Amino acid sequence: MKGIMLAAVSRFKTPRWFSSDLFLRCFLGHAAMRVELRFLAVSRSPGSALWSRTAAGVRNVSTSTTLYDNSRRKPKKREMSEKKLTRHFVDHRRVKLVAGSGGKGVCSFHSEPRKEWGGPDGGNGGDGGSIVIKADRFVKSLAQVVPVYKGEDGHSGSSKNCYGRNGSPTYISVPLGTVVKEQGKIVVDLAEHGQEYLAVFGGAGGKGNRFFLSNENRAPMTATPGTPGEERVLQLELRTMAHAGLVGFPNAGKSSLLRAISNAKPAVAAYPFTTLNPHVGIVKYRDHEQVAVADIPGIIRGAHLNRGLGISFLRHIERCRFLLFVLDLSAPEPWTQLQHLRYELDQYEPGLSQRPQAIIANKMDLPEAKEKLQTLKNQVTQRVIPVSALTGHNTEELILHLRELYDGYLQGHGSGTDKPIRW
Ligand SMILES: Nc1nc2c(ncn2[C@@H]2O[C@H](COP(=O)(O)OP(=O)(O)OP(=O)(O)O)[C@@H](O)[C@H]2O)c(=O)[nH]1
Ligand SMILES: [Mg+2]
């Protein structure tokens, strides 16, 4: 050991070793590189036991250079858990909007040497800033919307006929598919990128005394204050916009199915109400057409009476152009699930369950599923697509049928303005 250490020291002093170290430092481009001398010494003696370790590539050299860091693959962003997502995903907000007040008009008189009667020169105040709600496709939830917005006030006028500056408008960015309501009534539906709704007008600026100059009154002393801005309380509601919505009881396998047919990765677990927020996945076709499919949290009997996760998620279904009813074939009577789902949808909005639809019989890999499928087919008139989200069996038929529904929808409404967004 002593010999090895001595060898290391003697090697350390040789100019050849020194120059190679310099080269290494230059190559990595940073001075913060630590080379463990002792190991280097050992690895350099060919007879040592550690030689083979070095040759195998396990190098006890610790580096901390920017170059090295950049060359390493950055770790993938971790998926957000459903619980965290619920905290971040906000789909309704109540906001109070107060537009900016108008600036004050000013009372002043022109003052200049040898100009005794300069006359009134008080300028008007600027208008208050309005508040505009704007749809932005880069915004994904209403989480950043705060409860109260106050517009910028207009600036006061000043002497020499100077008008005050108008308050700048305040923009509230909301996701596409935000519905603005006032006292329960829909005011506007912001469905397109860049669509704006001027929610509250700013107050008008006050008048300066110059405004009141007339032949009857050559020296008006009147100047008015600006009017206060408009005030409104609005509800913002986000409705997921997708072409197809997966509707089913908890645990039916909706999230598993979305995972199987699209790029989305919603959480899957063997307990009800795993999904707490809608997830949207994209099904891509060879001709570059994309169909957005939304996984909607499970619905139970009495959802319209706010049971389970309540009606808050039924509104997301409202925005889907066609429905995919997912039935759990491990349930004793899967066809009753269909009746209950339809009933809940109709209770929320009459006729909602009549949208173009497909019935998906999930969990076909289970042994008793085949018999139940036959009974289900006898009970319903619509097409039933048997699949297994777990094994991926027959998902192609579902993907093809989805495209048929989508093409049918485009033929009917393609040119309309209510086209779902391209995700
Ligand atoms: N055997 C079998 N199990 C499945 C299949 N699809 C889903 N499952 C299982 O069913 C359970 C529920 O699946 P999820 O996809 O979370 O169901 P969900 O409908 O999204 O449930 P909620 O989010 O609670 O509404 C999980 O344990 C899945 O592994 C299938 O095709 N076959
Ligand atoms: Mg789920």
Side-chain angles (χ1 to χ4, degrees), residues 168-189:
S168 318
T170 306
Y171 286 91
I172 306 172
S173 295
V174 293
L176 302 190
T178 302
V179 177
V180 181
K181 284 185 174 177
E182 190 173 26
Q183 290 173 350
K185 282 191 188 146
I186 296 179
V187 180
V188 68
D189 187 346

Side-chain angles (χ1 to χ4, degrees), residues 14-33 35 40 44 59 61 63 65 67:
T14 58
R16 209 182 102 224
W17 185 91
F18 188 65
S19 60
S20 71
D21 178 55
L22 256 185
F23 168 74
L24 210 59
R25 277 168 191 243
C26 292
F27 177 71
L28 291 170
H30 206 282
M33 189 191 69
V35 180
L40 198 68
R44 278 177 164 269
R59 203 170 276 269
V61 177
T63 57
T65 66
L67 194 80

Side-chain angles (χ1 to χ4, degrees), residues 255 267 274-275 295:
S255 306
T274 312
T275 309
D295 170 22

Side-chain angles (χ1 to χ4, degrees), residues 296-318:
I296 292 154
I299 294 167
I300 56 163
R301 284 182 73 182
H304 73 279
L305 302 171
N306 240 356
R307 292 210 186 108
L309 290 177
I311 50 168
S312 57
F313 292 106
L314 288 173
R315 73 163 171 266
H316 295 287
I317 299 170
E318 219 184 316

